[in-house]
Structures are given as C-alpha cells and as structure tokens.
Amino acid sequence: AAAAATRVRSARLSHAALRVLLRVVAVPSTTKAWRRQVGRLFGAPPFLASLTRATLPLWARVVNAWLSLETPKAAATLLLSGKMGVTAGVFSSRAQEAEAQADLLRRLAFALWVGEHNQYVGALQGLVIDKLVAAFKYGAALEGWSAAVRWGVQVAALQCARVLVVRVAPENLTALWPIMIAELQRVLLEPREAPPALLLAACQLVDVLLTVLPDDFAPFGWMFVPGTGASGRSSSSFSALLAPLLLWLPAHSAASCSEPDEAADPDPDSPRAAAAAAAAAA
C-alpha cells in the first residue's frame, strides 16, 4: 500500500511539474533555461517507456517546442544522429545495435507525430526516407545476422512509415510508395517466416493507408484488399498475397474462412470464394 501511494504521489508531482514546464516553454525569453534540460530528458533511454496517458499530451507539446527551435533538417539530423536514447558502442553486440536502431526510429516517429502537419517535409529526402530504406534492409546483406535481430528494426520502420502517412501530405510521399509497397509484399508473401509483431505492423500500415489515403493507395490496394483497384474487381493476386495469413487464425476461424457459404455468398467468382479457394490450395 505504501509503495502504491508513493507511485501515485510521484505521478501527480510529475504531472504538475510538466504543467509548470509548459508555462515556462510558452515564454520566448526563457529558452536558455529549459532547452538543455528538455533535450537531456527526451534523449534519456527510458523516456518513451515512461510516458503515460496523462503525461503524453504534455510531453508532446514540450518536445515539439524543443525540436522547433531548430530547422526541420537540423532537428531530423539530431534525431538520426544516434546520440539520443539507446546507443551502441564499438563493442556492442548485434542485438544491442539493432535495439539502438529501433529506438532511434521510435523517437523519430514520436517527433513526427507531435509535430505539425508537413513540418518535416524538408527533411524527407536524404534523411527520413533514406533512414527508412536502410531500416527495411537492416542486416540483410551481412552474414551471421539472425532474422530475430532484424525484425525489431523492421517493425519500428513500419510503425514510423505509418506515422509518416498520417503527418505528411501524400504528394510529398511519392518517393516512399515503391519502397513501402515492396516491403509490405515481402512481409505478407512469407507470413510463416515473419513474427506476429512484424505481421501486425504490416497489416496496421495497410489499414492506415486504406483509411487515410484511399485514393492515393488505390493503384496498389488491389494487391491487399479485393475491390480496391481502378476496375473495382477482385484479383487473384489478392488471394496469393493474403490467403496464407488464414493459417495464423485458430482452427475454427480458419475453417469458417476457408469453407464457402453458398447461402450467404453463392457467387463462385466473389472475393470471398477466391480467398477460400486459394487457402484450400495452400
């Protein structure tokens, strides 16, 4: 009981201190008083894990004010420098290096999310997009790197891409489309070799693309969801891409998805019938 009371008191003090800090940040002449301290707190390894539902909105405003002191390119360069959060030294293991890269991408995603819409457009080319491409291919060309080491970085990269889709206008993401679609295909075409976290991140990205950018994603949507192409007709490629995911469902759910219901869907050419046929063939 005493420990619980201490935690509650500490949370209240932290929340009150953040509110005071927000008042200080709003005064332009006080920048020198809080700039270094906020950067140190944001760069601490446990920062993201320490966020709560109550402190997240407050820290979002504080961190955005701190990053806004720099130009978008300078702020992105600072975030991608590898000097904040979890860092890897010369003698670090591959797992530690991968965790440092994943933490860097999570901090980048946090900065993109708390910033204004299109705030970091000037930092996309040559910085943010290049970092995502490197994260998608992380460790692939090096011998001895296990897939488990790479997965954490790739999951963080997919999550960062999901934030980009929401916080950046689609006309500024033209260079990212082919890279993003290729990564989604790579993950979803081989679901048995991907961990659940990677499959979830890929499906979440597809869901956000279909919800936030339905028109821009339409040329590629037919590969993932039936009836989203220009012709409005389902494609056999849909079954080849997503039907293997049925194997991850419980037995009763997979059976209900793989057995066509003639009464509810008598059309043998329907998307549901095509998916069931592909699942049965697999």
Side-chain angles (χ1 to χ4, degrees), residues 97-197:
E97 292 178 8
E99 175 56 28
Q101 291 297 317
D103 182 78
L104 183 151
L105 289 168
R106 287 191 288 266
R107 289 174 192 274
L108 176 62
F110 182 82
L112 292 169
W113 178 255
V114 303
E116 301 293 334
H117 192 257
N118 283 336
Q119 179 173 336
Y120 293 94
V121 167
L124 292 179
Q125 298 293 340
L127 287 173
V128 177
I129 291 180
D130 288 3
K131 188 62 182 180
L132 284 180
V133 173
F136 288 146
K137 301 178 181 178
Y138 185 79
L142 300 177
E143 296 182 359
W145 283 73
S146 65
V149 172
R150 301 196 304 266
W151 285 338
V153 179
Q154 293 164 355
V155 168
L158 288 172
Q159 293 171 343
C160 187
R162 183 152 51 104
V163 175
L164 269 178
V165 170
V166 178
R167 304 304 293 167
V168 177
E171 58 268 19
N172 298 314
L173 298 176
T174 306
L176 188 61
W177 282 115
I179 303 165
M180 203 158 44
I181 299 304
E183 181 65 12
L184 289 173
Q185 287 179 313
R186 184 191 65 81
V187 174
L188 295 175
L189 279 171
E190 299 179 353
R192 292 184 182 89
E193 299 181 7

Side-chain angles (χ1 to χ4, degrees), residues 68-100:
S68 297
L69 296 175
E70 305 285 350
T71 64
K73 281 191 175 182
T77 302
L78 176 62
L79 291 168
L80 298 176
S81 64
K83 298 178 180 179
M84 305 179 67
V86 179
T87 58
V90 178
F91 301 103
S92 299
S93 65
R94 290 173 177 174
Q96 291 172 330
E97 292 178 8
E99 175 56 28

